[in-house]
Amino acid sequence: MTFCAAFAFMDCEKTENYTWVLEKLKGMMDPNALPSVIVTDRELALMNVITNVFPHATNLLSLEYVEKNWLVPYKERFVGAWTDKVMHFENLTSNRAQSSHSKLKNLENSQCNYDTIWEKIHRLMLLQVTEVKASFEKGLSSVQHDFRTTLFDRLRGAVLSNAMTLVLAASHQVEWFVESKRECECSLRHTHGLPCAHEIAPYKMANIPLSIKLIHDHWKRLSLLAHC
């Protein structure tokens, strides 16, 4: 589940405006949990500021922007090849930011001032917190039948269910991977921080549980509280 982390009002889209916004955002974040991937449209001022404020993050152009403006005839050849090498957790478009912007626009009317719009945004954020908490609780309380196997013994209750769904799909490729003797491209490892077929193979073949160390910390966050 995704959610809005912050909203910002800017009077223009210049380097100094983007710098102020991103530095404030960075100041709100855990220094050990800064973004590894930031998806934008081709807004050059923003892209330059990202390089300065988040120097270790990979800035990807929004997939819909690339498809529309650059690689329409060749997108299948280029886009996938690049994004399969970056840990993006399936965040390849700016649709979520655009959706958030649309929600913000819907809150506005001719009678709004800063105080009233802040209150509306605050209520929207509180609603999101409730939805995120409910999502965590659902993920912990409901366990699919497919996860009640030895392979997932150490992951159940410690890893988000959508991550286990991806691992399960990769585990179904183990036999094919072993028989074909092909080199694993490790795309699931690169893009999601999860074990791919060649990593799962020795565990599945020996019928032993997957190690929790194979799972990126992104998938172990089961609460909104930083210490959980």
Side-chain angles (χ1 to χ4, degrees):
M1 182 177 182
T2 59
F3 55 90
C4 305
F7 289 94
F9 291 90
M10 303 191 306
D11 60 354
C12 58
E13 299 178 351
K14 294 182 178 180
T15 298
E16 53 266 30
N17 301 90
Y18 284 126
T19 299
W20 181 84
V21 170
L22 292 189
E23 286 182 344
K24 292 298 182 182
L25 177 62
K26 186 177 182 179
M28 295 166 50
M29 304 178 73
D30 182 340
N32 297 315
L34 297 178
S36 59
V37 172
I38 300 176
V39 181
T40 68
D41 291 335
R42 189 174 177 272
E43 176 58 48
L44 295 181
L46 174 58
M47 294 169 71
N48 289 333
V49 172
I50 288 172
T51 301
N52 294 328
V53 179
F54 295 103
H56 301 296
T58 299
N59 180 201
L60 293 180
L61 281 175
S62 168
L63 189 57
E64 68 263 15
Y65 177 87
V66 173
E67 291 179 346
K68 180 180 179 181
N69 296 281
W70 286 2
L71 302 177
V72 173
Y74 308 107
K75 60 179 180 294
E76 292 84 1
R77 300 183 187 179
F78 293 100
V79 176
W82 167 240
T83 57
D84 279 354
K85 304 300 180 184
V86 179
M87 195 176 297
H88 51 66
F89 303 112
E90 294 185 351
N91 294 301
L92 295 175
T93 76
S94 59
N95 288 342
R96 291 161 181 170
Q98 292 170 4
S99 175
S100 299
H101 183 260
S102 177
K103 288 181 180 180
L104 182 59
K105 296 291 287 185
N106 290 337
L107 293 176
E108 297 176 1
N109 60 54
S110 58
Q111 304 301 315
C112 280
N113 55 35
Y114 180 81
D115 291 334
T116 57
I117 196 67
W118 185 94
E119 181 60 32
K120 291 181 178 181
I121 291 174
H122 183 63
R123 290 199 298 267
L124 176 63
M125 300 290 270
L126 290 177
L127 178 61
Q128 284 189 146
V129 170
T130 300
E131 292 173 347
V132 172
K133 286 182 177 178
S135 175
F136 280 135
E137 291 171 2
K138 181 180 178 181
L140 289 172
S141 61
S142 60
V143 179
Q144 295 183 30
H145 175 74
D146 289 335
F147 301 150
R148 298 183 183 277
T149 63
T150 301
L151 195 65
F152 292 94
D153 278 352
R154 294 175 182 168
L155 306 188
R156 289 192 301 273
V159 174
L160 292 171
S161 59
N162 48 349
M164 291 199 291
T165 298
L166 294 171
V167 173
L168 178 65
S171 72
H172 291 161
Q173 301 173 2
V174 167
E175 287 75 11
W176 173 86
F177 169 76
V178 172
E179 292 175 4
S180 66
K181 297 182 180 180
R182 293 186 59 177
E183 183 176 352
C184 183
E185 296 180 355
C186 301
S187 59
L188 191 60
R189 168 59 63 197
H190 293 317
T191 61
H192 291 73
L194 295 171
C196 47
H198 93 272
E199 293 178 277
I200 297 172
Y203 293 89
K204 187 173 183 180
M205 303 300 285
N207 193 32
I208 58 176
L210 286 168
S211 170
I212 192 70
K213 294 180 180 179
L214 294 172
I215 309 298
H216 190 281
D217 287 345
H218 173 82
W219 304 107
K220 300 173 188 175
R221 176 60 67 83
L222 305 177
S223 167
L224 287 176
L225 299 178
H227 64 273
C228 292

